[in-house]
Amino acid sequence: MNTNDMPRWATAFVLPLLNLLSALLVAALVIHLLGEDPLDSLRILINSAIVNPEGLSYTLFYASTFIFTGLSVSIAMQAGLFNIGSEGQMYIGGLGLTIAMLALDASLPWWLLIPCGIVGAALFGALWGFLPGYLQAKRGSHIVVTTIMFNFIAASLMNFFIVKYMIPAGEQNTASRVFSAAAEMPRLNTWFPVLGDTPLNVSFLLAIVALAIYGLVVTRSAWGYKLRATGLNKHAAHYAGIRISKMIIVVMLISGALAGLGSVNSIMGSTHYLSLNFVGGAGFVGIAIALMGRQHPVGIFLSAVLFGALIQGGFDLSLEKPNIPTETFIFIQGLIILFCGAMENFYAPAIMKLIKAKG
């Protein structure tokens, strides 16, 4: 079934909604088998993650990171590239951010220090995205294989640099020292006290700006047209004068930079130091967000909020419902990836039949 024959409203709204409902239905069945009421569990999750202002603040905090990793995967998909390396690119972006902070946080004021950290995260993430992009463009190495390998290399490099150079003397925790107060991203509860004492910070606003820029560039610029043409048909794009190898490298640079920016929220917005496992699977969640959001800025935002709500609501739900372990929500994330990724067109034939019947 070719979804290009379907109306935009069907592919952008109806299919993702049906896929999400299918995943939640299976999750409800699992919760029922665990001996808990699915509807009551849903009520607790919504109250904890959306209705409660402090819970909503945590949801948006998690979503801030997911927006960047979702954008990282999405812009690569626009060029027909499946970048599975956002996890590693965010790792290395965090390393670049930390190097900037450790070198400059004692000498620069916050209004210079924070931009330096952001640039460091984007630059190091871009460089880590450049390598598989170059191998794909110039050597024909498949982007999926190289980005998977680079995730493991990034994790090993992080372990090496933290253990060898960044652990303060006398400390056992595999983490750098805490940055100075000047390196902390301003928190939104400064202006909105109703949000409570939560880590939601200016990174959320940066993520919204990134979404807007992504939407404008992809759909309203000449370069965005070339990007989408490359993704739709590389051979036709080549004969139209688009340099495919250059496009691949540039896209992977941007993709890596966006993934690297995801570390800003996690490190400068929350922990204020670099820890070994700070990414926590955010790069892989970005794949689900890009698939579920159909690479559209609104879809990416809503998908990121959904996954943020699952994390925030899952914490409280596992406390109130002891039979539901926190690992259940990793399973739910997997279901969403399954239905929105591998089975994204499962309902397409039925929808096409209904459309033709109505017509």
Side-chain angles (χ1 to χ4, degrees):
M1 173 58 63
N2 187 0
T3 56
N4 291 330
D5 297 332
M6 298 176 64
R8 177 65 179 170
W9 58 264
T11 57
F13 178 73
V14 176
L15 272 179
L17 181 61
L18 288 174
N19 291 331
L20 175 61
L21 291 175
S22 299
L24 294 179
L25 185 63
V26 176
L29 177 61
V30 172
I31 290 174
H32 175 72
L33 293 175
L34 290 172
E36 299 290 353
D37 182 3
L39 291 178
D40 189 46
S41 299
L42 180 62
R43 178 190 61 80
I44 294 171
L45 191 148
I46 292 174
N47 285 337
S48 171
I50 304 296
V51 176
N52 180 273
E54 188 170 329
L56 177 61
S57 180
Y58 273 104
T59 295
L60 296 179
F61 167 72
Y62 298 125
S64 301
T65 299
F66 296 155
I67 287 172
F68 280 114
T69 56
L71 284 172
S72 171
V73 178
S74 293
I75 196 160
M77 282 184 169
Q78 294 284 0
L81 303 171
F82 197 14
N83 176 20
I84 305 183
S86 294
E87 185 91 355
Q89 290 148 19
M90 185 173 165
Y91 259 129
I92 301 301
L95 179 63
L97 183 157
T98 301
I99 290 173
M101 292 299 101
L102 297 180
L104 303 171
D105 66 348
S107 58
L108 292 183
W110 69 269
W111 53 272
L112 283 177
L113 186 61
I114 289 175
C116 286
I118 293 172
V119 170
L123 181 61
F124 272 60
L127 289 174
W128 203 247
F130 165 79
L131 295 172
Y134 176 84
L135 291 173
Q136 165 89 19
K138 300 296 185 180
R139 295 292 182 265
S141 303
H142 201 287
I143 202 76
V144 171
V145 177
T146 53
T147 50
I148 289 174
M149 291 191 300
F150 271 69
N151 283 336
F152 290 102
I153 296 172
S156 299
L157 282 175
M158 284 288 292
N159 185 69
F160 171 76
F161 278 108
I162 291 176
V163 172
K164 183 74 173 178
Y165 298 109
M166 293 184 178
I167 297 179
E171 295 289 335
Q172 297 297 320
N173 187 28
T174 51
S176 71
R177 67 166 173 82
V178 177
F179 307 150
S180 71
E184 297 180 11
M185 291 291 283
R187 295 192 174 185
L188 296 187
N189 58 15
T190 305
W191 302 286
F192 306 100
V194 69
L195 296 175
D197 187 19
T198 63
L200 182 64
N201 59 83
V202 174
S203 296
F204 175 69
L205 303 180
L206 294 178
I208 298 301
V209 171
L211 278 171
I213 294 173
Y214 165 84
L216 289 172
V217 169
V218 169
T219 63
R220 294 289 187 270
S221 72
W223 185 84
Y225 175 80
K226 294 178 182 178
L227 170 71
R228 288 179 285 122
T230 302
L232 290 171
N233 191 319
K234 285 184 173 61
H235 296 293
H238 171 72
Y239 284 111
I242 299 171
R243 292 178 58 189
I244 303 301
S245 60
K246 179 181 177 181
M247 179 62 73
I248 290 172
I249 292 173
V250 170
V251 166
M252 287 304 297
L253 280 168
I254 297 172
S255 180
L258 287 167
L261 287 173
S263 66
V264 174
N265 183 56
S266 301
I267 299 176
M268 291 172 64
S270 178
T271 61
H272 308 127
Y273 61 84
L274 178 67
S275 59
L276 187 58
N277 297 313
F278 81 93
V279 177
F284 296 120
V285 172
I287 298 173
I289 289 168
L291 291 170
M292 186 175 174
R294 299 278 171 157
Q295 299 96 59
H296 190 280
V298 175
I300 293 169
F301 174 78
L302 294 176
S303 301
V305 170
L306 170 65
F307 277 88
L310 285 174
I311 293 176
Q312 170 57 23
F315 290 146
D316 287 354
L317 183 57
S318 61
L319 291 175
E320 295 197 33
K321 303 281 189 180
N323 289 337
I324 303 178
T326 53
E327 290 78 11
T328 303
F329 297 94
I330 300 175
F331 171 71
I332 294 174
Q333 290 178 9
L335 285 174
I336 294 174
I337 294 172
L338 173 65
F339 280 96
C340 295
M343 299 173 62
E344 64 174 336
N345 296 322
F346 182 75
Y347 295 104
I351 293 174
M352 281 297 293
K353 286 182 180 179
L354 286 174
I355 293 172
K356 290 178 179 179
K358 293 286 185 180

